């Protein structure tokens, strides 16, 4: 795992401008007893994101804590995926986009001029909604990231095995790692994608609806895996499944969409961010309660 205190490699980047607003704080004493208190991995201040002139999310301010699972929930079109893609600069691959506000990763401006976005995406990995293994062997899928990043492990075989073990897949594939990744089931392919992410030794794993294309048994295995992985990684998951958020996350952020006066644009806003138990049993905002009880969304 990379040293979180190490400076991100220097390269050209898109600058952000700070504009702090009130930060939702969650007292450390309220954390689940199995989760140690830690410094924030991300400090997000007044974040807005634009696709051209369209503002997709506005004024998001929150901290994301270390070695916890943070769930992002909300109705379709409220900017959940846009938000987590801001956390590893994936959105800037789309022409005409821009960020306002500030995201600090271990107290370093993620969008600073001296930050290399490639290094950002290595340290802050991502698992997508649909399993997307490469058309290669199981082994080469896991080894791909270390190879292209110039990593020189003492043994690539050991690194592949370690990554597959962490993704709870080794016992199922150890006798066929040279076979095509496409020979695996959907749930196995998703765990392979997690192993591929782990292989480059990230600090954070972002998951954008990782179980939406999986059956209940495969979903349960991914959820169990997330609970194991948070001992070593910080996890942020977008999910439409509120029961999943309640089962696996330590903290939950509820987003909703505000509709413009003309009714033509929907802008995502953070409504509430708190301990998951509190969000689902005693939310402080009526909009959160309406969403989790099924009144809208």
């Amino acid at each position: 795992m990379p040293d979180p205190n190490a400076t991100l490699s220097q390269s050209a980047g898109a600058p952000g401008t700070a504009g702090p607003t009130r930060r939702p704080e969650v007292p450390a004493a309220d954390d689940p007893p199995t989760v140690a208190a830690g410094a924030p991995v991300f400090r997000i201040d007044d974040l807005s994101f634009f696709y051209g002139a369209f503002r997709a999310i506005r004024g998001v301010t929150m901290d994301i804590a270390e070695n916890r699972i943070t769930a992002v929930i909300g109705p379709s079109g409220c900017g959940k995926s846009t938000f987590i893609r801001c956390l590893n600069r994936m959105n800037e691959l789309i022409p005409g986009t821009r960020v306002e506000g500030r995201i600090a990763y271990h107290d370093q401006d993620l969008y600073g001029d001296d930050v290399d976005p490639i290094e950002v995406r290595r340290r802050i990995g991502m698992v997508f909604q649909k399993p997307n293994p490469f058309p290669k062997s199981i082994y080469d899928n896991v080894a791909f990231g270390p190879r292209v990043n110039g990593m020189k492990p003492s043994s690539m075989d050991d690194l592949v095995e370690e990554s597959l073990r962490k993704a709870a897949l080794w016992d199922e594939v150890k006798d066929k790692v040279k076979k095509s990744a496409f020979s695996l089931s959907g749930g196995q392919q998703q765990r392979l994608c997690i192993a591929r992410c782990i292989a480059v030794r990230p600090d954070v794993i972002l998951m954008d609806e990782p179980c939406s294309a999986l059956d209940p048994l495969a979903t349960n295995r991914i959820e169990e895996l997330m609970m194991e992985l948070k001992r070593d990684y910080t996890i942020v998951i977008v999910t439409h499944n509120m029961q999943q958020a309640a089962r696996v996350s330590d903290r939950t952020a509820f987003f909703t969409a505000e509709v413009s006066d003309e009714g033509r644009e929907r802008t995502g806003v953070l409504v509430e961010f708190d301990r998951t138990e509190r969000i689902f049993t005693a939310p402080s905002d009526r909009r959160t309660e309406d969403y989790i009880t099924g009144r809208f969304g």
Side-chain angles (χ1 to χ4, degrees):
M1 190 181 306
D3 178 2
N5 296 315
T7 302
L8 294 166
S9 301
Q10 292 189 351
S11 181
T17 56
T21 59
R22 185 180 70 83
R23 176 177 303 281
E25 295 285 0
V26 181
D30 286 340
D31 283 329
T34 58
V35 182
V41 173
F42 295 102
R43 295 184 69 90
I44 302 159
D45 288 298
D46 202 26
L47 174 69
S48 294
F49 185 82
F50 295 80
Y51 296 98
F54 168 61
R55 179 159 58 179
I57 56 174
R58 172 177 60 78
V60 176
T61 296
M62 60 188 288
D63 291 346
I64 294 177
E66 187 175 34
N67 297 115
R68 292 172 179 79
I69 300 174
T70 298
V72 182
I73 65 172
S76 297
C78 68
K80 302 183 298 295
S81 294
T82 294
F83 168 69
I84 68 161
R85 287 166 185 250
C86 288
L87 300 181
N88 71 345
R89 297 180 58 166
M90 286 285 290
N91 283 328
E92 68 183 30
L93 299 172
I94 303 170
T97 60
R98 63 186 172 92
V99 170
E100 290 183 357
R102 188 173 191 269
I103 302 176
Y105 168 68
H106 293 296
D107 295 324
Q108 184 174 3
D109 184 357
L110 200 65
Y111 286 79
D113 291 331
D114 60 342
V115 171
D116 180 359
I118 304 301
E119 178 66 12
V120 167
R121 293 173 201 133
R122 185 184 71 79
R123 296 197 193 187
I124 307 168
M126 191 159 207
V127 176
F128 296 93
Q129 179 175 357
K130 184 178 179 181
N132 60 343
F134 299 144
K136 300 174 180 290
S137 70
I138 296 166
Y139 184 101
D140 286 337
N141 263 268
V142 180
F144 181 83
R147 286 169 176 162
V148 300
N149 279 281
M151 295 172 60
K152 301 186 185 305
S154 56
S155 168
M156 185 63 77
D157 289 350
D158 289 347
L159 178 58
V160 169
E161 179 179 342
E162 175 192 349
S163 301
L164 288 169
R165 284 189 183 278
K166 285 187 173 182
L169 190 57
W170 174 252
D171 289 342
E172 298 169 41
V173 303
K174 61 185 178 183
D175 297 324
K176 54 180 181 180
V177 292
K178 297 301 183 180
K179 290 189 176 181
S180 169
F182 295 143
S183 68
L184 300 176
S185 68
Q188 289 174 323
Q189 287 185 14
Q190 193 66 299
R191 280 184 280 148
L192 176 62
C193 293
I194 293 171
R196 188 175 65 196
C197 177
I198 290 171
V200 296
R201 306 197 184 282
D203 177 37
V204 178
I205 301 175
L206 309 176
M207 296 184 171
D208 192 357
E209 299 192 57
C211 302
S212 65
L214 305 182
D215 62 47
L217 288 176
T219 294
N220 182 64
R221 192 65 196 93
I222 296 290
E223 290 179 0
E224 291 175 346
L225 177 58
M226 284 191 282
M227 300 296 287
E228 296 166 10
L229 289 174
K230 76 172 182 179
R231 292 177 297 187
D232 298 316
Y233 307 96
T234 299
I235 298 174
V236 184
I237 176 174
V238 167
T239 180
H240 275 289
N241 186 331
M242 287 183 285
Q243 290 76 23
Q244 181 175 74
R247 285 192 299 264
V248 304
S249 69
D250 302 299
R251 297 179 180 177
T252 296
F254 169 59
F255 281 66
T256 194
E258 291 185 345
V259 182
S260 66
D261 292 340
E262 299 82 11
R264 287 179 290 191
E265 292 190 348
R266 293 164 56 91
T267 299
V269 294
L270 173 63
V271 174
E272 189 170 355
F273 178 51
D274 210 328
R275 287 189 304 124
T276 293
E277 180 182 6
R278 190 173 295 164
I279 288 286
F280 282 93
T281 60
S284 62
D285 192 289
R286 178 62 182 270
R287 290 170 293 177
T288 309
E289 181 178 358
D290 287 347
Y291 181 74
I292 64 176
T293 56
R295 292 193 182 99
F296 80 95

